[in-house]
Amino acid sequence: MAGAAPLPAAAPSALRRTLDAVYDSAAALAAVFMVLLLVMVMLSILSRQLHFNIPGVDAYAGYMMAATGFLALAHTLKKGEHIRVTLLIGSLTGRWRRGFEIWALFAASLLALLAAFYSCKLAWQSYTFHDISTSNDATPLWIPELTMALGTVVLAIAFIDELVLELRGQRVVITSEEASHNE
């Protein structure tokens, strides 16, 4: 039929929109913790310069840094910014390349699930045993450990998402141009 308009692209499914919202929310939370990290560092600098002490400011800076890193992992993966060693996979083609991608994503999913399980277990044990920080802030450790647990759970979901997309032939590999400029 001449002059027919092309069919519109299919709208993303509710599951895809939900997963993308989870990844974006974790990244936004990581950004909040990064700003809080800046605040903690500035407080630390000011307190030293003005000769007063804020107990635990260094510990809280560390908690904020860990939260920032763990919560940003899944979003970084989905945007193609994780470090990939492409020496081997770049030399593969066809079924071998796809098979290696599936193997790598399966292994990464298992490792991420293990990290998520043990991160959640650590936070739960810290809560159960009333474990507190040894620094002078005496923070219950389950509170900062929650961000690590949340970040690893979202990362595991992201790796499983990538594996399922690869198995279905729908995965789009986003490559950073930065790697090609490092030679």
Side-chain angles (χ1 to χ4, degrees):
M1 173 153 84
L7 293 174
S13 70
L15 179 59
R16 171 61 36 215
R17 287 190 308 271
T18 301
L19 288 172
D20 289 342
V22 167
Y23 307 140
D24 291 343
S25 297
L29 196 52
V32 168
F33 279 107
M34 185 173 281
V35 170
L36 292 173
L37 170 61
L38 172 67
V39 169
M40 291 298 129
V41 170
M42 295 304 293
L43 277 173
S44 179
I45 291 169
L46 281 173
S47 68
R48 283 190 209 117
Q49 293 299 318
L50 300 176
H51 306 290
F52 66 92
N53 182 34
I54 301 175
V57 73
D58 293 333
Y60 280 102
Y63 302 152
M64 301 304 154
M65 188 182 311
T68 298
F70 279 102
L71 290 168
L73 286 172
H75 190 265
T76 305
L77 172 70
K78 296 302 281 184
K79 295 299 180 187
E81 296 296 327
H82 273 213
I83 296 172
R84 285 179 52 110
V85 179
T86 57
L87 182 64
L88 176 61
I89 203 159
S91 65
L92 299 174
T93 58
R95 291 185 323 168
W96 285 99
R97 183 179 187 132
R98 186 161 189 270
F100 191 76
E101 284 279 2
I102 290 169
W103 175 85
L105 288 168
F106 181 76
S109 296
L110 283 179
L111 290 171
L113 282 167
L114 280 171
F117 173 78
Y118 284 107
S119 295
C120 292
K121 183 178 178 181
L122 176 66
W124 178 253
Q125 286 176 337
S126 293
Y127 176 78
T128 303
F129 299 137
H130 305 289
D131 201 8
I132 61 169
S133 168
T134 57
S135 64
N136 59 359
D137 64 314
T139 300
L141 287 177
W142 66 270
I143 297 171
E145 289 169 355
L146 273 179
T147 59
M148 180 177 70
L150 179 61
T152 55
V153 166
V154 175
L155 178 65
I157 292 168
F159 268 120
I160 293 167
D161 182 18
E162 288 292 298
L163 176 60
V164 169
L165 288 173
E166 181 67 32
L167 290 170
R168 296 170 102 190
Q170 298 172 335
R171 183 166 171 252
V172 177
V173 179
I174 302 170
T175 56
S176 173
E177 293 299 317
E178 184 178 337
S180 61
H181 298 295
N182 286 337
E183 300 195 19

